[in-house]
Amino acid sequence: MRHQLVSNKRVMVMCLLSLIGLTVSSVPAAETDARSLKHPLVGYWESTVRETGCLETYWFKEDGTAVLTSGDEQLEARYEVTPQPDAQGFFKLTHRVTLSNKGLDCTRQTSEINTEQTSYVLFQPDGRSFIACDDDDPSLEACFGPLELKNNASRSLP
């Protein structure tokens, strides 16, 4: 009888562990990806200007701040981005420069503190790159990029 009682307890424990294992393994992969809980813009992005080879980097942090570099220019900014895309698939991104080293960017210009810029961001379906546009015109005539994701929440910055 004692052997049967131990066996019953063992069977119950095994069933319980199996149930827990099934529950954990049935959680969709998107829910276990730390980035899935954040806006797709959050992360470290890079783009190289084809004509000049000039590197631009964009680090959009979860707290609404960003660190941007373009050529010799280094900026810090506060940004807001719409939580959902518009009917054409664009997210509206607005950022205001809070700190600038006054260096020249890839277009040989500088950004002044407190200047605000609005862009429209269109992600590729896989979320690993996006283009940024001056408007949300589907013709994409006023766009640059692509900017490629170099890290997300689960990896360190390069």
Side-chain angles (χ1 to χ4, degrees), residues 1 5 29 38 40-41 49 59-60 65-66 76 86 95 99 106 108 110 114-115 119 124 129 136-137 140 156:
M1 181 77 171
L5 185 61
K38 302 173 192 160
L41 187 66
V49 178
W59 183 16
F60 293 100
T65 62
E76 290 184 17
D86 65 15
H95 75 268
L99 187 64
C106 289
R108 311 305 294 161
T110 61
N114 287 323
T115 56
S119 301
Q124 290 296 315
S129 65
D136 63 350
D137 181 354
L140 308 179
S156 300

Side-chain angles (χ1 to χ4, degrees), residues 27-40 42 62 152-154:
V27 174
E31 288 181 20
T32 60
D33 178 5
R35 196 178 128 95
S36 68
L37 303 176
K38 302 173 192 160
H39 195 281
V42 172
E62 284 183 84
N152 61 25
S154 65

Side-chain angles (χ1 to χ4, degrees), residues 70-146:
S70 176
D72 292 328
E73 183 177 55
Q74 297 176 6
L75 304 174
E76 290 184 17
R78 300 256 344 133
Y79 75 92
E80 292 182 5
V81 62
T82 54
Q84 297 295 321
D86 65 15
Q88 288 81 23
F90 291 90
F91 290 88
K92 182 179 179 182
L93 169 65
T94 304
H95 75 268
R96 178 179 299 278
V97 175
T98 57
L99 187 64
S100 172
N101 71 344
K102 306 281 189 201
L104 294 177
D105 69 11
C106 289
T107 63
R108 311 305 294 161
Q109 298 177 6
T110 61
S111 297
E112 296 297 323
I113 293 175
N114 287 323
T115 56
E116 187 171 283
Q117 181 178 350
T118 299
S119 301
Y120 295 85
V121 175
L122 183 64
F123 287 91
Q124 290 296 315
D126 66 3
R128 307 282 305 160
S129 65
F130 69 85
I131 58 173
C133 306
D134 293 336
D135 54 40
D136 63 350
D137 181 354
S139 71
L140 308 179
E141 291 181 16
C143 302
F144 71 93

Side-chain angles (χ1 to χ4, degrees), residues 4-22:
Q4 188 175 8
L5 185 61
V6 170
S7 292
N8 285 344
K9 283 183 180 177
R10 182 177 293 156
V11 167
M12 253 169 101
V13 169
M14 294 301 284
C15 287
L16 189 56
L17 289 174
S18 295
L19 182 61
I20 291 170
L22 284 173

